[in-house]
Amino acid sequence: MAKLLGSSRQQVVNLCERGDLPFVRVGAHRRIRREHVEALLQPRRALTRDQLKSLWLHQAVAGSLVSDPDEVLGKASVNLDRLLRQHRGTMTEVWLRRWQDKISEGVGSVLRVLTSEDPDAVELRQNSPFAGVLL
């Protein structure tokens, strides 16, 4: 992995210990997935101002979700039903269906999308079913 990163083994260890590079221990050895190294090599594009505002709002929604998951997910489900009827046959429907999948996976999956800077999460938040949660 050090060769892929163009660094020393000690620098890889330092990345792991700082939490910048995910790994698992197998005995005394660290195992690092190639996809994590490749992700580290690709610089992440900075979020636009609108995407950053959306992230902040959804982080607030995440707080409400942790406090009262049934209420928040119930409100999101009602919103999804309404939005799916309005956006039948559009690209928005595709994103809303993905939200349905996340909600059916559970609170942990929803929290990851609400708080992640991952490009997929950024796109999902553009079609958020959480209107009315932050009243």
Side-chain angles (χ1 to χ4, degrees):
M1 294 301 164
K3 193 173 203 174
L4 278 173
L5 290 169
S7 65
S8 69
R9 283 190 278 168
Q10 184 58 51
Q11 288 172 317
V12 173
V13 168
N14 294 344
L15 287 169
C16 291
E17 296 304 317
R18 276 197 321 255
D20 294 335
L21 189 58
F23 70 96
V24 294
R25 283 201 182 270
V26 178
H29 301 282
R30 288 176 187 83
R31 297 290 182 222
I32 302 166
R33 296 180 66 130
R34 184 181 186 99
E35 66 193 52
H36 293 139
V37 173
E38 290 172 352
L40 190 63
L41 290 171
Q42 295 177 350
R44 184 175 279 180
R45 284 190 353 221
L47 296 179
T48 66
R49 181 72 180 155
D50 286 341
Q51 290 169 336
L52 194 54
K53 281 173 51 176
S54 177
L55 174 62
W56 293 338
L57 288 168
H58 283 85
Q59 286 172 336
V61 169
S64 296
L65 178 61
V66 169
S67 297
D68 192 352
D70 293 334
E71 173 71 21
V72 172
L73 293 181
K75 195 169 283 196
S77 294
V78 168
N79 288 339
L80 272 173
D81 291 342
R82 180 180 43 79
L83 290 167
L84 283 167
R85 284 192 305 274
Q86 291 173 348
H87 296 285
R88 192 165 296 162
T90 67
M91 190 59 198
T92 301
E93 179 184 13
V94 173
W95 292 107
L96 295 171
R97 296 267 180 224
R98 294 198 47 209
W99 269 117
Q100 274 185 322
D101 294 342
K102 294 294 178 190
I103 289 170
S104 68
E105 290 170 13
V107 173
S109 184
V110 174
L111 281 172
R112 280 188 289 281
V113 174
L114 293 176
T115 60
S116 174
E117 292 185 32
D118 179 72
D120 195 47
V122 170
E123 289 299 323
L124 269 168
R125 286 193 300 268
Q126 297 304 309
N127 296 284
S128 175
F130 295 97
V133 170
L134 297 178
L135 293 178

